[in-house]
Amino acid sequence: APPRPGGASRFRSSSAGRPPPRAPLGKAEGRGPSRNRCGGPAGEMGLEVEPLFQAWSYFRRRKFRECSDLCSQLLERPPGEQEQTDSEYTVFQAAWSLKTRALTEMVYVDEIDMDEEGIAEMMLDENAIAQVARPGTSLKLPGTSQGAGPSPAVRPVTQSGRPITGFVRPCTQSGRPSTMEQALKTPRTALTARPITSASGRYVRLGTASMLTNPGGPFINLSRLNLAKYAQKPKLAKALFEYIFHHENDVKNALDLAALATEHAQFKDWWWKVQVGKCYYRLGLYREAEKQFKSALKQQDMVDTILYLAKVYLRLDQPVTALNLFKQGLDRFPGEVALICGIARIHEEMNNISSAAEYYKDVLKQDNTHVEAIACIGSNHFYSDQPETALRFYRRLLQMGVYNCQLFNNLGLCCFYAQQYDMTLSSFERALFLAENEEETADVWYNLGHVAVGIGDLNLAYQCFKLTLVNNNDYAEAYNNLAVLEMRKGHIEQARALLQTASSLAPHMYEPHFNFAVLSEKVGDLQRSYTAARKSEEAFPGHVDTQQLIKQLKQHFAML
Amino acid sequence: MSLFKARDWWSTVLGEKEEFDQGCLCVADVDNSGSGQDKIIVGSYMGYLRIFNPHPVKPGDGLQAEDLLLEVQLREPILQVEVGKFVSGTEGLHLAVLHFRKLSVYAVSGTLGNVEHGNQYQIKLMYEHNLQRTACNMTYGPFGGVKGRDLICIQSMDGMLMLFEQESYAFGRFLPGFLLPGPLAYSSRTDSFITVSSCRQVESYKYQVLAFATDADERQETEQQKLGSGKRVVVDWVLNIGEQALDICIVSFNQAVSSVFVLGERNFFCLKDNGQIRFMKKLDYSPSCFIPYCSVKEGTINTLVGNHNKMLNVYQDVTLKWAAQLPHIPVSVKVANLQDLKGVIVTLSDNGHLQCSYLGTDPSFFQPPRVESREINYEELDAELKELQKIIKEATKTQDILPKSEKHRDLIVRAEVSPDLDAESKAIDSEIKGEAVPSVTVKIMIQSRVTAQRPNLAVCVQAPLAVTCDQFFFDDLEPDASETVVLSVFLKGNCPPSELEGTCVVSYDTPTELNPEGIPRVAQCNFRLPLRLICFPVQPSKAANHKLTIDTNKPPVSFLTIFPDFVDPSEDDQANVLGFQFLTGSKTTLLASKTSQPYRIQSDELEDLWLITKELTLRLEEHFKKQKCKDFACTFSGSIPLQEYFELIDRHFELRLNAEKFQELLSERAVQFRAIERRLLTRFKDKTPAPLQHLDTLLEVTFREVIALADAAEENEANMSQAFTKLKSATHLVIMLISLWQKLSADQVAILEATFLPLAEDTQELGWEETVDAAISYLLRTCLSKSSKEQALTPSSQLCMPKDTSRLKKNITLFCDRLAKGGRLSFSTDSATQQAAVMPG
């Protein structure tokens, strides 16, 4: 059997098309001095704009920094001015509530998009029903689906054994290790990082301002807040809850407030139930969260509630239940993109690529500017050997204004495999020009090396792979391919060292193991060849060449 | 993200630094021209009111002078402009302008001139109402089902609905539970007002209910609409949507049923008349404005939604039909009939960018910038490529990554050890109790011939010794500059060191033309510390467990001459016997016979012999060198003290086994700890609290065990490092004895040292025993092999911790035997290079 260069070219997931977070994360916008004044720009004309109205208008136009500044000025006025005749309503309360909302919106990230599972959550997971799930019912055993997934020979897989997707979203990168020891020993590279220790650490950084220091102390001092009092004022409580949850990231206090408020609303307000569920979810109480979401859905059908509930089911590793839920949701809200997209993602995670592609097509029928769907279908076409079709999808992304390294990288590869050689190099050139970090540069060089192998310029290939390693020292595929080139040159020792590096960096790849087996067999070290071949078989059971090699080796052993 | 942009039909920028918001744009045939042509009315927060009638000659034109029909400045900010049948007695359209404290209704009329630019337009104030409360927004419609006229409802900032029946004020009502104003709309089918309150609910109030609620004004002063404090108004229906809304629109086109459209901050809702959700759509962007309009397909409604990514999306119910890129973020969007063109999209941005556009297939604005590319000159490029490939080839040809030794070093580092101990000890934190620990000063000088960037000096001594400061950072050195630092060395750990040497290394960067960052380089030097640092003279003792005899070929030398720092010259009886006491307590005695050559070294511990023996041979060599005596040599005849050496090996190995045991126990306890934690977690999460059944005690006990184990492991580690130092001392001694015994050459001694003293650290995974075992068996297989059969043996492929030391001991004994029988340590050419890389120094 001939040695194989590292399987398929590594296609980059395009992370670009992701809709930008709704608010710049704690980023202070440039403030013009004229915006700062209470009277607004109209002041110079002698036209006085009411400050509260101005703040309200700023809020509607999403100028949160200005809105918050204006509200602060209103709040700083001496109490005498705030007196109003009726007790129900005061300017003070209105300004306070508006500022709360503005501060929240500044850091708001949709809770549905946030998902990160830490080691502690994975290891202390007592929700698992069966240790060994039946095929097709669990996300933990990606290899168990019956659907004809692409073989790893064609489509590279991640550490957890899933095929690489076309779109980077939370949780597609991290795998689920089976034991704590394995989790800790997983090689920690820049891209396939081992799961973070605990989810709470991540939330602090993602879309919250709780780590930002505020001159003059925080806006609301949570420890001195009488939550019971606020829970009885629904008009203030909802904004306050979002502030505590999103801005302060204080789930425990948020839960206290939500629990009091839902009680005050006599359990009739579905919104509070969803919020209680969200808090439970963050605290890892999935069964309790499920109860709350279900109860909320009984009161009022909402797309968001369905998405939250599905998220709970996914965390409980019940993808089939989640799929059913999505389908029920689609009966109520036909054509809802978020629901169809959720179905497609589950299919993709369960290695059922063909039906995932079907659902992504449904998404495009509803919303033909959906970047995730376009990218996923494109990469699916690429890996099912239809680079021309993939090229059309990626070209569409380009026309839509996605302009980043990953896209040009993918375009370059598609062009190469579709035999449009004139565009290949210029695409890669652009990709290099756009690369934002060394990992991206490494990817482009790796693919250039692949192109060089394809056109037979081994010298160039060698240098490309070397450059890959200069940019990203952990690139297992590049080590493997370098080893193959060294093997061709007859440098057995170097090749062996490179293969060993590759297999220690990426034990999930079968190519280094297989190549090592072939190499050892060639020099006559049958024992090592056999061990490596077994590892290769473990990583990719269906690989014919490995099976042949093992058979051959067994014959040898029998003869001895 | 869109494929296409909205095609510009007509656009202009209004004013300078003016602000606009949602209510500031209105489209209607305001001058009652009857032609069905809409005019665009724009008011700004600066108080400017403008009316446009765009008629571009060709699409994409800018503002022509005659397009602007009217521009007036009203004295107050304009919050909202609306057009309706606001004047009694006529069905003509009039313009209502909302200010903070005033509502004005104007009639707009035009007089035709002879030519087009002679047309004149003016506004005439019909009536105005002064408001007692700050207004926020308004809506209008045939409230109560009146025919042919429109009534106005104004929402104030503090939540009062003020209703005006054209020229007269009708009544005012407070909305219950009000905090901040939301959008307001009137539904004529149900005759009710619909708003979204601060409780995040869509609320509908019947006009009838509002009208019949106890009128607040009657109880109040006669003054018009003063401080109305209406009674609680009953809500018709409520729908909780869980978010704030940006806008509400109510549409009832002929073919479709009437619907209430609510644009929330994150979702977009279509409600039935009774407040049930007909459909909703989750938006994955932040919307800014919307407008529903009729659809070509029966039973569906099209909606235009603008967002903060400068996009205009067209939905048919929930399906995205079109997406167009706009040049600005729209705060308000309308659909108008302009110049016989139906369905022109009018958008307004908050800084006054007014645009009329239509949907078309112009590609989006985005043009990828050109990549910087130079003119390709193939000949030059070929030459450059060749040149580069040559360099690469050169670089890959020389496999050796070690730089060649340079004759002229760019940077020289020298260390000077002062001959005397410090008068005042500089030792800090020494573990040795009791006596004062001496220290010795080392002066390190760096001299640079070139520019050295970021020089960094590291001083390193072997473990029980320590330095007062081991890292120095300097500023960049100019050519021919020098730096000097002074530091002190002292004994820190509670055991004698295995070497009395130290190293200092300077790392620095030398910048070149191509590489201004600099190429990293190092320079190093070694220094030798005085024996006095670790021991002092005592009375010699006669008895000892271990004795060594070193022969020389010269007459004995008095200790007075070779150990002047240990012998008091007044007592001449000490001339042939000398006692040393290490700071750590153990004693060693050195004896010289007066007449014959041999020297005897004796001590209770094997490892203590090493330093004294080494010092003796060194000083003797030095002495004879001074006397110009060249053929001086030491010899050793006795048997190598292997048995005692093996004891030390066993001691070290035993500690390693202990460490392994501790590690296993620790991981076992950690697993147990996690299991208990998991159990406890389940208990605590249970709704019905179950008794803990002493799980907490178990957790505590396990925790204590983990801590105790960790402490024990730490202690073991400290012992192990001490044992290893002793082992190293003994190894040095054995190497020296073997080389004296077999009179090995310097090359052979180097091989011996590389075999017995690997450079690698002694760790649990890869320890001294297996490394040395592998090295010795390699030597036994190659240069010391007796037959070709031995050479064929393959070594075990992996280095791992052996079960016991018997194999190592056997190999060492065999090694000594082979050497005694005349084996020579030398390699054939190919393996020599391999060995060279391992050699220290």
Side-chain angles (χ1 to χ4, degrees):
Chain A
R4 259 182 72 77
S9 15
R10 197 179 173 86
F11 218 46
R12 281 312 303 160
S13 311
S14 104
S15 63
R18 194 173 176 70
R22 284 218 168 91
L25 301 179
K27 195 170 71 183
E29 286 161 28
R31 272 184 280 163
S34 70
R35 296 250 187 255
N36 239 343
R37 269 178 294 117
C38 185
E44 54 200 85
M45 305 294 291
L47 299 185
E48 185 73 14
V49 178
E50 286 284 325
L52 185 60
F53 179 86
Q54 181 75 31
W56 181 73
S57 170
Y58 277 143
F59 181 81
R60 204 167 46 188
R61 285 180 271 150
R62 300 186 71 79
K63 299 192 166 174
F64 301 120
R65 178 69 55 182
E66 288 90 337
C67 171
S68 144
D69 287 348
L70 213 51
C71 289
S72 311
Q73 285 175 21
L74 275 173
L75 292 173
E76 276 161 20
R77 283 190 191 173
E81 281 184 46
Q82 293 157 10
E83 281 306 310
Q84 287 271 323
T85 42
D86 55 280
S87 55
E88 274 272 310
Y89 167 85
T90 62
V91 174
F92 186 81
Q93 272 188 3
W96 185 84
S97 176
L98 196 59
K99 181 168 179 184
T100 316
R101 277 168 61 191
L103 290 176
T104 310
E105 282 292 323
M106 271 192 235
V107 297
Y108 181 85
V109 173
D110 199 340
E111 183 72 6
I112 291 165
D113 287 340
M114 278 168 66
D115 205 0
E116 196 79 41
E117 206 171 9
I119 286 185
E121 282 81 18
M122 279 182 215
M123 286 302 117
L124 296 175
D125 173 22
E126 75 279 24
N127 295 308
I129 297 167
Q131 283 291 320
V132 183
R134 280 196 286 166
T137 61
S138 169
L139 295 173
K140 286 189 182 169
L141 299 165
T144 53
S145 79
Q146 281 113 14
S151 77
V154 182
R155 188 166 187 165
V157 290
T158 63
Q159 245 168 33
S160 54
R162 300 209 163 86
I164 279 178
T165 77
F167 193 77
V168 180
R169 57 182 99 89
C171 258
T172 49
Q173 298 255 304
S174 64
R176 277 179 192 248
S178 49
T179 65
M180 184 74 123
E181 282 71 23
Q182 193 193 332
L184 292 171
K185 280 178 187 162
T186 308
R188 185 167 201 172
T189 66
L191 292 170
T192 52
R194 80 171 194 222
I196 32 134
T197 1
S198 163
S200 48
R202 171 89 167 173
Y203 288 129
V204 169
R205 276 173 290 136
L206 242 186
T208 62
S210 52
M211 295 301 275
L212 299 177
T213 48
N214 234 341
F219 169 49
I220 297 173
N221 194 342
L222 287 183
S223 54
R224 283 162 58 188
L225 218 56
N226 182 0
L227 292 179
K229 197 183 88 189
Y230 283 96
Q232 287 165 16
K233 296 181 180 166
K235 53 189 181 183
L236 291 177
K238 286 183 177 176
L240 179 63
F241 173 85
E242 291 202 325
Y243 177 83
I244 299 175
F245 191 83
H246 290 289
H247 189 274
E248 291 294 312
N249 195 32
D250 185 345
V251 182
K252 258 165 72 189
N253 268 323
L255 179 60
D256 283 348
L257 177 64
L260 288 168
T262 189
E263 206 179 326
H264 181 256
Q266 295 170 329
F267 306 103
K268 279 179 188 158
D269 191 334
W270 63 267
W271 191 84
W272 280 118
K273 289 182 183 170
V274 171
Q275 306 314 311
V276 173
K278 266 159 79 177
C279 294
Y280 278 144
Y281 182 86
R282 278 260 189 118
L283 295 173
L285 303 168
Y286 303 122
R287 291 289 174 195
E288 286 78 2
E290 181 196 356
K291 254 181 236 160
Q292 295 291 337
F293 289 138
K294 271 187 165 170
S295 162
L297 267 184
K298 242 177 235 164
Q299 266 172 5
Q300 178 74 56
D301 281 325
M302 277 282 165
V303 175
D304 272 1
T305 319
I306 296 173
L307 292 174
Y308 283 126
L309 187 55
K311 211 172 127 181
V312 170
Y313 283 133
L314 287 183
R315 185 49 68 84
L316 291 176
D317 196 21
Q318 299 180 12
V320 181
T321 322
L323 278 179
N324 287 337
L325 180 74
F326 277 135
K327 281 174 186 155
Q328 282 165 23
L330 277 179
D331 290 341
R332 176 69 185 82
F333 301 107
E336 175 58 48
V337 171
L339 300 179
I340 309 176
C341 194
I343 296 181
R345 284 180 189 179
I346 294 179
H347 279 305
E348 197 176 36
E349 288 211 5
M350 288 171 69
N351 272 7
N352 204 347
I353 300 294
S354 49
S355 49
E358 284 304 311
Y359 278 102
Y360 276 126
K361 279 177 192 161
D362 280 353
V363 170
L364 283 193
K365 274 175 204 155
Q366 290 300 325
D367 178 356
N368 49 26
T369 61
H370 202 272
V371 175
E372 177 177 351
I374 299 177
C376 285
I377 295 176
S379 67
N380 193 29
H381 278 300
F382 178 81
Y383 285 122
S384 39
D385 217 6
Q386 299 165 322
E388 294 88 354
T389 327
L391 192 58
R392 291 176 69 91
F393 280 95
Y394 284 108
R395 213 173 53 202
R396 186 175 172 97
L397 280 183
L398 184 66
Q399 285 164 341
M400 278 169 56
V402 179
Y403 184 62
N404 59 14
C405 168
Q406 289 93 341
L407 180 64
F408 278 104
N409 180 30
N410 292 357
L411 275 174
L413 272 185
C414 286
C415 286
F416 178 69
Y417 285 102
Q419 304 185 4
Q420 302 184 7
Y421 299 121
D422 49 339
M423 287 300 293
T424 309
L425 287 183
S426 60
S427 292
F428 280 126
E429 202 180 352
R430 239 179 233 276
L432 277 180
F433 171 72
L434 285 172
E436 276 169 0
N437 51 36
E438 289 187 337
E439 280 81 30
E440 289 180 4
T441 318
D443 280 336
V444 181
W445 280 118
Y446 174 78
N447 286 330
L448 270 172
H450 232 278
V451 170
V453 170
I455 57 176
D457 189 345
L458 297 188
N459 232 347
L460 178 64
Y462 188 82
Q463 281 157 20
C464 286
F465 291 135
K466 278 273 181 194
L467 277 170
T468 310
L469 293 182
V470 166
N471 282 298
N472 181 358
N473 211 4
D474 301 327
Y475 217 107
E477 289 90 342
Y479 278 112
N480 176 55
N481 291 2
L482 265 183
V484 173
L485 292 178
E486 292 284 6
M487 253 199 277
R488 284 181 62 98
K489 286 188 193 167
H491 300 160
I492 303 289
E493 283 303 316
Q494 272 99 323
R496 182 184 294 170
L498 287 168
L499 284 175
Q500 271 169 345
T501 317
S503 54
S504 71
L505 280 174
H508 62 279
M509 275 167 48
Y510 76 96
E511 290 99 343
H513 299 307
F514 175 70
N515 290 341
F516 193 75
V518 171
L519 182 70
S520 302
E521 199 245 7
K522 227 186 220 167
V523 297
D525 193 345
L526 299 186
Q527 185 57 44
R528 271 191 231 183
S529 172
Y530 184 69
T531 343
R534 290 301 295 270
K535 279 185 194 160
S536 163
E537 195 190 18
E538 204 175 294
F540 180 19
H543 192 224
V544 180
D545 289 347
T546 307
Q547 284 164 353
Q548 274 177 355
L549 184 65
I550 290 181
K551 216 166 114 194
Q552 205 179 326
L553 285 170
K554 277 187 178 158
Q555 273 174 0
H556 271 297
F557 290 140
M559 267 160 65
L560 286 174
Chain B
M1 300 280 163
S2 135
L3 229 42
F4 306 119
K5 64 177 181 180
R7 296 198 70 166
D8 186 17
W9 184 68
W10 176 87
S11 68
T12 181
V13 180
L14 308 178
E16 267 179 32
K17 284 190 179 171
E18 290 190 49
E19 272 194 292
F20 302 86
D21 203 351
Q22 205 175 19
C24 295
L25 176 68
C26 179
V27 167
D29 185 17
V30 69
D31 58 344
N32 299 305
S33 63
S35 59
Q37 283 209 15
D38 287 334
K39 315 286 178 299
I40 302 168
I41 305 122
V42 186
S44 81
Y45 285 179
M46 304 295 236
Y48 283 99
L49 180 71
R50 298 181 178 90
I51 301 178
F52 294 96
N53 182 22
H55 39 283
V57 181
K58 61 176 195 336
D61 270 356
L63 178 75
Q64 307 284 319
E66 59 265 30
D67 288 346
L68 179 61
L69 304 183
L70 180 81
E71 182 174 55
V72 283
Q73 199 203 349
L74 307 174
R75 301 249 160 249
E76 281 177 81
I78 298 171
L79 306 185
Q80 195 170 348
V81 285
E82 292 293 350
V83 171
K85 303 160 191 166
F86 297 132
V87 177
S88 56
T90 164
E91 291 211 2
L93 294 176
H94 288 80
L95 175 66
V97 179
L98 182 68
H99 305 287
F100 279 119
R101 295 274 176 173
K102 196 164 75 178
L103 170 72
S104 319
V105 174
Y106 299 95
V108 182
S109 58
T111 45
L112 288 178
N114 290 332
V115 284
E116 198 181 8
H117 53 259
N119 292 356
Q120 274 188 25
Y121 285 83
Q122 59 258 326
I123 55 170
K124 197 173 108 199
L125 182 68
M126 303 304 285
Y127 61 87
E128 63 181 21
H129 294 290
N130 286 314
L131 310 176
Q132 293 297 316
R133 293 169 179 277
T134 311
C136 172
N137 52 16
M138 65 176 172
T139 185
Y140 67 95
F143 305 158
V146 292
K147 291 269 157 58
R149 19 180 223 150
D150 286 326
L151 282 65
I152 295 177
C153 172
I154 298 172
Q155 179 177 222
S156 75
M157 280 307 287
D158 51 0
M160 190 194 207
L161 293 184
M162 292 173 279
L163 284 105
F164 294 91
E165 285 183 4
Q166 301 193 331
E167 286 85 355
S168 59
Y169 171 71
F171 56 85
R173 297 287 180 273
F174 273 108
L175 291 173
F178 183 88
L179 187 65
L180 280 166
L184 182 70
Y186 171 74
S187 163
S188 56
R189 254 173 72 108
T190 55
D191 190 25
S192 53
F193 296 98
I194 296 169
T195 184
V196 176
S197 73
S198 292
C199 299
R200 309 192 171 185
Q201 297 169 338
V202 185
E203 296 174 358
S204 163
Y205 298 95
K206 287 258 185 217
Y207 176 69
Q208 297 287 334
V209 176
L210 287 179
F212 287 118
T214 350
D215 199 289
D217 304 338
E218 284 172 10
R219 284 190 279 112
Q220 300 286 327
E221 299 87 331
T222 48
E223 211 179 322
Q224 197 187 34
Q225 35 137 337
K226 169 104 177 174
L227 303 174
S229 68
K231 108 173 212 181
R232 285 209 172 265
V233 183
V234 185
V235 134
D236 183 25
W237 52 259
V238 167
L239 174 74
N240 191 343
I241 56 167
E243 63 194 288
Q244 297 287 343
L246 288 166
D247 203 357
I248 297 178
C249 274
I250 291 149
V251 285
S252 51
F253 299 113
N254 295 335
Q255 67 271 45
V257 269
S258 152
S259 324
V260 180
F261 285 87
V262 181
L263 182 69
E265 284 168 337
R266 326 203 191 290
N267 292 294
F268 162 61
F269 301 89
C270 172
L271 315 179
K272 294 179 194 163
D273 273 343
N274 58 1
Q276 285 174 331
I277 297 179
R278 177 167 286 142
F279 60 80
M280 69 179 278
K281 160 113 197 128
K282 187 174 159 63
L283 304 175
D284 54 1
Y285 47 79
S286 305
S288 61
C289 59
F290 86 133
I291 186 166
Y293 66 99
C294 62
S295 163
V296 282
K297 197 176 158 199
E298 197 126 325
T300 60
I301 293 173
N302 282 11
T303 316
L304 279 171
V305 182
N307 69 22
H308 282 267
N309 303 337
K310 301 184 178 176
M311 296 281 305
L312 195 66
N313 293 330
V314 185
Y315 291 96
Q316 187 174 65
D317 284 357
V318 292
T319 309
L320 183 73
K321 283 293 172 189
W322 199 266
Q325 182 90 40
L326 286 176
H328 51 77
I329 298 171
V331 292
S332 184
V333 58
K334 301 279 178 208
V335 178
N337 297 332
L338 297 169
Q339 209 192 23
D340 301 327
L341 194 63
K342 279 185 182 169
V344 179
I345 299 163
V346 186
T347 52
L348 177 71
S349 81
D350 80 327
N351 50 13
H353 200 113
L354 179 67
Q355 182 173 348
C356 300
S357 48
Y358 56 97
L359 301 177
T361 51
D362 264 11
S364 172
F365 295 138
F366 180 77
Q367 290 290 329
R370 283 188 65 80
V371 179
E372 195 188 334
S373 64
R374 47 187 170 168
E375 283 289 306
I376 297 174
N377 180 343
Y378 285 98
E379 278 166 25
E380 264 178 38
L381 273 184
D382 270 347
E384 194 184 339
L385 187 66
K386 258 184 201 147
E387 178 79 5
L388 288 174
Q389 264 166 354
K390 215 166 116 194
I391 294 172
I392 292 172
K393 214 173 236 175
E394 284 287 299
T396 45
K397 212 185 273 171
T398 48
Q399 291 262 326
D400 201 6
I401 40 165
L402 294 170
K404 290 152 227 156
S405 66
E406 290 161 52
K407 228 176 191 181
H408 302 284
R409 289 202 169 269
D410 292 337
L411 188 140
I412 299 168
V413 56
R414 275 178 302 157
E416 259 177 35
V417 182
S418 80
D420 305 313
L421 297 181
D422 294 344
E424 200 171 319
S425 173
K426 301 236 171 64
I428 31 173
D429 296 338
S430 182
E431 289 166 16
I432 299 162
K433 298 281 166 329
E435 284 148 85
V437 180
S439 69
V440 68
T441 305
V442 181
K443 194 166 138 195
I444 297 167
M445 283 153 295
I446 301 168
Q447 243 180 344
S448 173
R449 294 220 184 95
V450 293
T451 311
Q453 288 177 337
R454 294 179 291 277
N456 174 1
L457 168 70
V459 184
C460 165
V461 289
Q462 286 292 330
L465 294 170
V467 289
T468 44
C469 179
D470 59 352
Q471 282 272 355
F472 297 91
F473 298 94
F474 306 108
D475 295 332
D476 293 359
L477 287 177
E478 295 299 312
D480 295 322
S482 64
E483 287 277 352
T484 307
V485 291
V486 174
L487 51 97
S488 293
V489 184
F490 59 94
L491 186 65
K492 189 171 185 186
N494 200 2
C495 75
S498 62
E499 277 162 17
L500 274 177
E501 280 178 359
T503 319
C504 43
V505 182
V506 182
S507 65
Y508 59 100
D509 299 339
T510 49
T512 59
E513 242 175 77
L514 288 173
N515 186 0
E517 279 292 295
I519 301 160
R521 291 182 185 280
V522 287
Q524 64 170 354
C525 83
N526 296 342
F527 53 89
R528 194 171 165 74
L529 298 162
L531 188 62
R532 280 302 298 264
L533 189 63
I534 52 158
C535 61
F536 51 89
V538 284
Q539 270 308 318
S541 62
K542 297 279 175 194
N545 292 348
H546 303 282
K547 290 173 185 162
L548 281 181
T549 313
I550 304 281
D551 261 326
T552 59
N553 52 3
K554 296 281 162 195
V557 186
S558 162
F559 288 148
L560 265 173
T561 45
I562 55 171
F563 281 105
D565 46 346
F566 280 87
V567 183
D568 192 350
S570 59
E571 299 171 47
D572 54 336
D573 63 319
Q574 272 197 343
N576 60 355
V577 59
L578 199 54
F580 300 93
Q581 177 159 17
F582 289 101
L583 288 176
T584 47
S586 48
K587 277 185 193 170
T588 307
T589 308
L590 187 60
L591 294 160
S593 68
K594 280 194 179 116
T595 49
S596 58
Q597 290 98 338
Y599 297 85
R600 168 163 291 190
I601 308 119
Q602 54 187 39
S603 164
D604 283 345
E605 305 287 339
L606 180 68
E607 65 270 13
D608 291 340
L609 295 174
W610 153 245
L611 281 176
I612 306 297
T613 317
K614 173 82 180 166
E615 195 71 22
L616 176 71
T617 50
L618 271 181
R619 290 196 187 204
L620 280 174
E621 266 167 25
E622 217 167 284
H623 175 78
F624 284 107
K625 210 187 236 173
K626 264 186 213 153
Q627 305 218 326
K628 309 266 166 75
C629 181
K630 274 180 190 159
D631 55 346
F632 169 77
C634 297
T635 46
F636 176 71
S637 56
S639 63
I640 309 284
L642 283 182
Q643 216 45 51
E644 294 88 336
Y645 182 51
F646 289 162
E647 273 169 29
L648 281 171
I649 294 177
D650 278 341
R651 167 86 187 125
H652 177 248
F653 188 70
E654 188 191 324
L655 287 168
R656 274 188 72 194
L657 285 179
N658 277 352
E660 198 175 28
K661 208 169 68 200
F662 278 127
Q663 216 165 30
E664 263 170 37
L665 280 174
L666 254 179
S667 75
E668 220 170 77
R669 287 293 173 279
V671 168
Q672 181 181 330
F673 188 73
R674 281 199 296 273
I676 300 170
E677 244 183 346
R678 201 181 304 194
R679 279 285 160 82
L680 262 180
L681 199 67
T682 335
R683 285 286 156 89
F684 283 131
K685 268 166 73 174
D686 234 349
K687 272 278 166 60
T688 49
L692 293 180
Q693 288 173 331
H694 300 298
L695 270 177
D696 51 339
T697 327
L698 208 52
L699 188 78
E700 172 127 21
V701 170
T702 316
F703 179 69
R704 283 215 196 110
E705 270 176 14
V706 169
I707 295 296
L709 274 174
D711 284 345
E714 232 166 54
E715 200 190 318
N716 190 60
E717 189 118 322
N719 285 340
M720 200 156 79
S721 80
Q722 231 178 55
F724 188 59
T725 313
K726 284 181 184 169
L727 181 62
K728 250 163 89 183
S729 299
T731 312
H732 275 297
L733 185 67
V734 169
I735 293 171
M736 183 177 178
L737 292 181
I738 289 176
S739 57
L740 291 181
W741 173 46
Q742 289 295 324
K743 303 186 183 63
L744 300 180
S745 66
D747 286 351
Q748 286 178 313
V749 174
I751 292 175
L752 209 54
E753 275 182 356
T755 311
F756 276 95
L757 294 167
L759 287 177
E761 291 265 313
D762 180 52
T763 58
Q764 193 61 28
E765 285 82 28
L766 184 67
W768 183 85
E769 283 85 359
E770 51 265 33
T771 326
V772 172
D773 190 23
I776 291 179
S777 24
Y778 179 75
L779 288 180
L780 287 177
R781 263 197 315 119
T782 51
C783 55
L784 296 178
S785 67
K786 274 203 297 203
S787 62
S788 57
K789 196 180 155 200
E790 275 184 345
Q791 286 182 353
L793 284 175
T794 46
S796 60
S797 63
Q798 266 193 329
L799 285 183
C800 57
M801 192 168 155
K803 288 203 176 61
D804 52 38
T805 52
S806 58
R807 188 184 135 93
L808 173 64
K809 287 180 198 160
K810 205 182 82 192
N811 275 342
I812 294 178
T813 322
L814 193 62
F815 177 74
C816 291
D817 277 359
R818 294 263 170 94
L819 275 182
K821 281 176 190 156
R824 273 185 54 78
L825 294 170
S826 70
F827 291 98
S828 51
T829 43
D830 64 330
S831 44
T833 49
Q834 213 173 347
Q835 197 68 18
V838 187
M839 267 188 267

